[in-house]
């Protein structure tokens, strides 16, 4: 469904989020189509928790999360699924989320027909990221996407994020890597402090 | 006994019935293995055996008792999962013990159940007839398209467990559908090939196929092929050596699984 670009894809207002108890908030921001928004802050400040609430997994204690009608979310978490002994190859993984292989960096495109358990940790991480990033979705949530990536992978990820945003997606990115956040994001919401007492 | 007996309808129907399940069960097993639920197969098979014996005790059709008990097991397992994720493994163990306890008590107290119990636990495929074959074909015709339809959600649940949740949808009904398909197939297979042979066909062919397949699709084909070949060889061996079918098939599959693991370790460059 086409969504008017004048309206934000995602609006977060006075959001207090957590699991058993509040971990982060109140937080306010909006996300527009084509925008890359960074969530930054020290460990324990609730960046990943906030993403999980946006994806409908965590608990909202106060405030609101509003999605424009018809918006689809794609969410990459830090959890790495077990791949050892599972005979699934890269092409099949991309097909699961509906992601296209077009535009994959050559160093990974050449290995698409290999099983996931034959890829290196960095190649597997990038493939998982690609499957989420290129899945049909309007809002893409990325949680610490640079984990396990070498400088070549980080550079390719930055380019892929920029291209996906240019194609019309809104992206929320959580990372402890301030340099990457500064390079990849047009706007940064900084979450205060560490874990709540 | 000799292989000429295979042309006898008395042995032909059991052979064909077992072959259909030997092709189908490894497909179910591939997804159970993906989900880490291989023990579920044994609990469904055990519950199906208990259901069949209960049906015999109540003078009801066996073909209803087994699937009914297996479907009940699938429903109980899903209820456990909804209550708490951590109880998943406990549900299988309890269902397994409930099925075993019920079956053994029935067999110990009712002569009819005792005879049937021997057939179910020894894997005496030779008791099957044309009706079992038609039931197996029906199960194949229903289960294969359903598994094909469920394949993507099941794989997504493993690799992207939050894929549906992030899109505001639930995959719980899809998982229940898978549990019911597996329970139904295992129930029918158990009443034809026996508890442990059915379990062995679910568990070992996908395990043996995994190191050699370069894709999920290839693994499904290879698993089914290994299951079918193992069944035919076991059937011929059991006939020639005049042995019960179930243990022969189980031991053959164990050898196959061990050989696959050793070869994959010894020749990693040949493995996929």
């Amino acid at each position: 469904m086409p969504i008017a670009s004048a309206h934000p894809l995602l609006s977060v207002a006075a959001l207090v989020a957590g699991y058993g108890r509040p971990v982060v908030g109140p937080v306010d921001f909006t996300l527009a189509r084509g925008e890359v928004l960074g969530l930054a802050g020290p460990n324990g400040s609730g960046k990943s928790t906030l993403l999980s609430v946006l994806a409908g997994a965590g608990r909202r204690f106060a405030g609101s999360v509003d999605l424009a009608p018809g918006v689809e979310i794609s969410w990459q978490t830090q959890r790495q699924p077990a791949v050892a002994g599972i005979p699934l190859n890269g092409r099949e993984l991309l097909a699961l989320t509906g992601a296209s292989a077009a535009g994959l960096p050559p160093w990974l495109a050449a290995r698409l027909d290999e099983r996931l358990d034959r890829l290196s940790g960095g190649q597997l991480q990038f493939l998982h990221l690609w499957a989420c990033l290129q899945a049909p979705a309007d809002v893409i949530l990325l949680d610490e996407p640079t984990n396990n990536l070498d400088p070549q992978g980080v550079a390719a990820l930055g380019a892929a994020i920029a291209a996906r945003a240019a194609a019309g997606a809104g992206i929320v990115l959580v990372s402890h890597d301030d340099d990457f956040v500064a390079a990849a994001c047009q706007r940064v919401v900084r979450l205060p402090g560490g874990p709540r007492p | 006994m000799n292989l000429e007996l295979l042309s006898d309808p008395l042995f032909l129907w059991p052979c064909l019935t077992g072959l259909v399940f030997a092709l189908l069960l490894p497909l179910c097993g591939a997804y159970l293995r993906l989900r880490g639920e291989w023990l579920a197969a044994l609990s469904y098979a055990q519950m199906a055996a208990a259901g069949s014996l209960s049906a015999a005790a109540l003078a009801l059709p066996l073909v209803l008792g087994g699937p009914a008990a297996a479907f009940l097991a699938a429903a109980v397992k899903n209820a456990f999962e909804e209550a708490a994720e951590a109880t998943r493994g406990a549900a299988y163990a309890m269902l397994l013990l409930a099925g075993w306890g019920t079956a053994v008590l029935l067999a110990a107290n009712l002569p009819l159940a005792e005879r049937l119990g021997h057939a179910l636990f020894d894997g005496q495929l030779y008791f099957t007839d044309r009706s079992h074959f038609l039931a197996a074909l029906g199960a194949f015709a229903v289960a294969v398209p359903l598994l094909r339809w469920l394949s993507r959600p099941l794989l997504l649940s493993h690799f992207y467990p939050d894929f549906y949740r992030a899109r505001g949808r639930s995959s719980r009904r899809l998982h229940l559908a898978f549990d019911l398909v597996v329970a139904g197939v295992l129930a029918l297979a158990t009443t034809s090939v026996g508890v442990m042979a059915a379990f062995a066909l679910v568990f070992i062919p996908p395990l043996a196929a995994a190191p050699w397949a370069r894709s999920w699709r290839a693994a499904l084909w290879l698993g089914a092929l290994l299951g079918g070949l193992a069944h035919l060889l076991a059937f011929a061996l059991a006939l020639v050596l005049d042995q019960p079918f179930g243990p022969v098939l189980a031991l053959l599959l164990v050898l196959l699984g061990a050989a696959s693991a050793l070869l994959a370790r010894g020749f990693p460059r040949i493995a996929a």
Side-chain angles (χ1 to χ4, degrees):
Chain A
M1 179 189 293
I3 297 158
S5 58
H7 299 291
L9 289 171
L10 171 69
S11 302
V12 173
L15 176 64
V16 178
Y19 289 99
R21 61 184 176 82
V23 172
V24 59
V27 180
D28 300 83
F29 62 84
T30 59
L31 179 73
R33 198 172 274 284
E35 187 177 23
V36 183
L37 173 75
L39 295 179
N43 288 340
S45 59
K47 303 184 294 291
S48 299
T49 304
L50 192 53
L51 274 198
S52 73
V53 172
L54 300 183
R59 183 174 165 194
R60 183 167 54 84
F61 287 87
S64 62
V65 176
D66 292 315
L67 285 170
V71 162
E72 294 262 348
I73 291 180
S74 180
W75 179 27
Q76 173 258 330
T77 66
Q78 292 187 58
R79 269 182 304 190
Q80 282 275 9
V83 296
I86 297 176
L88 195 89
N89 66 35
R91 206 173 292 282
E92 289 173 320
L93 183 81
L94 296 187
L96 287 180
T97 64
S100 165
L104 258 181
W107 45 267
L108 193 51
R111 303 198 65 182
L112 261 190
D113 290 316
E114 292 192 33
R115 289 168 51 140
L116 301 181
D117 55 3
R118 304 294 188 264
L119 301 179
S120 72
Q123 289 169 334
L124 187 59
Q125 165 75 355
F126 197 93
L127 197 61
H128 277 303
L129 282 166
W130 190 268
C132 281
L133 200 56
Q134 302 298 336
D138 307 286
V139 171
I140 298 162
L141 310 176
L142 301 177
D143 194 354
E144 298 288 359
T146 58
N147 283 355
N148 292 327
L149 296 185
D150 61 12
Q152 182 189 33
V154 172
L157 174 64
I161 287 173
R164 191 69 175 91
I171 298 171
V172 182
L173 188 156
V174 160
S175 178
H176 65 278
D177 184 341
D178 287 341
D179 292 340
F180 181 74
V181 169
C185 302
Q186 294 138 7
R187 197 155 52 92
V188 177
V189 173
R190 197 159 289 280
L191 304 178
R196 293 186 176 198
Chain B
M1 290 198 180
N2 57 57
L3 285 176
E4 287 171 16
L5 287 172
L6 273 176
S7 59
D8 186 334
L10 187 67
F11 294 98
L12 182 64
W13 292 124
C15 182
L16 292 178
T17 304
L19 181 60
V20 172
F21 285 123
L23 297 172
L24 181 54
L25 288 170
L27 301 181
C28 298
Y31 292 96
L32 286 168
R33 184 169 171 268
L34 174 78
R35 289 160 57 88
E37 292 184 333
W38 56 271
L39 191 57
L42 189 54
S43 61
Y44 290 152
Q46 194 74 56
M47 285 293 286
S52 297
L53 294 182
S54 301
L58 297 168
L60 295 171
L62 301 185
V63 75
L64 292 181
F71 286 146
L72 177 67
V76 168
K77 177 218 157 199
N78 265 269
F80 263 82
E81 281 178 8
E82 257 180 63
E85 188 73 18
T87 58
R88 179 184 278 193
Y92 304 147
M94 281 196 266
L95 287 166
L96 178 64
L97 292 170
W100 173 77
T102 305
V104 171
L105 281 178
L106 284 169
N109 289 285
L110 299 167
L112 176 62
E114 185 187 10
R115 282 199 300 278
L116 181 59
H118 276 299
L120 287 172
F121 293 112
D122 294 351
Q124 289 288 19
L125 185 60
Y126 316 121
F127 290 114
T128 60
D129 55 23
R130 188 167 175 271
S131 67
H132 287 93
F133 174 65
L134 292 177
L137 274 188
F140 191 92
V142 171
V144 169
L146 280 173
L147 287 174
R148 191 172 176 173
W149 175 61
L150 290 166
S151 180
R152 183 171 174 257
L154 292 172
L155 287 163
L156 268 174
S157 288
H158 178 79
F159 288 101
Y160 300 102
D162 300 300
F163 184 87
Y164 286 103
R165 193 202 327 233
R167 285 161 172 75
R169 299 194 289 269
S170 168
S171 58
R172 186 162 289 281
R173 272 185 290 183
L174 295 168
H175 293 286
L176 176 61
F178 173 71
D179 286 335
L180 293 176
V181 169
V182 172
V185 169
L186 265 162
L188 290 173
T190 299
T191 53
S192 297
V193 302
V195 172
M196 295 312 285
F199 173 61
L201 281 168
V202 163
F203 184 57
I204 297 181
L207 184 72
W212 311 99
R214 296 197 63 167
S215 68
W216 184 256
R217 192 182 172 84
L220 294 179
W221 279 102
L222 185 56
L225 180 68
L226 291 176
L229 290 175
H231 163 76
L232 291 174
L233 185 56
F235 196 89
L237 279 175
L239 214 54
V240 168
L241 303 174
D242 196 17
Q243 297 297 314
F245 166 77
V248 173
L249 176 64
L251 290 173
L252 203 60
L253 285 171
V254 167
L255 286 176
L256 175 72
S260 170
L262 289 172
L263 283 172
R265 178 170 288 191
F267 303 96
R269 288 188 178 183
I270 303 175

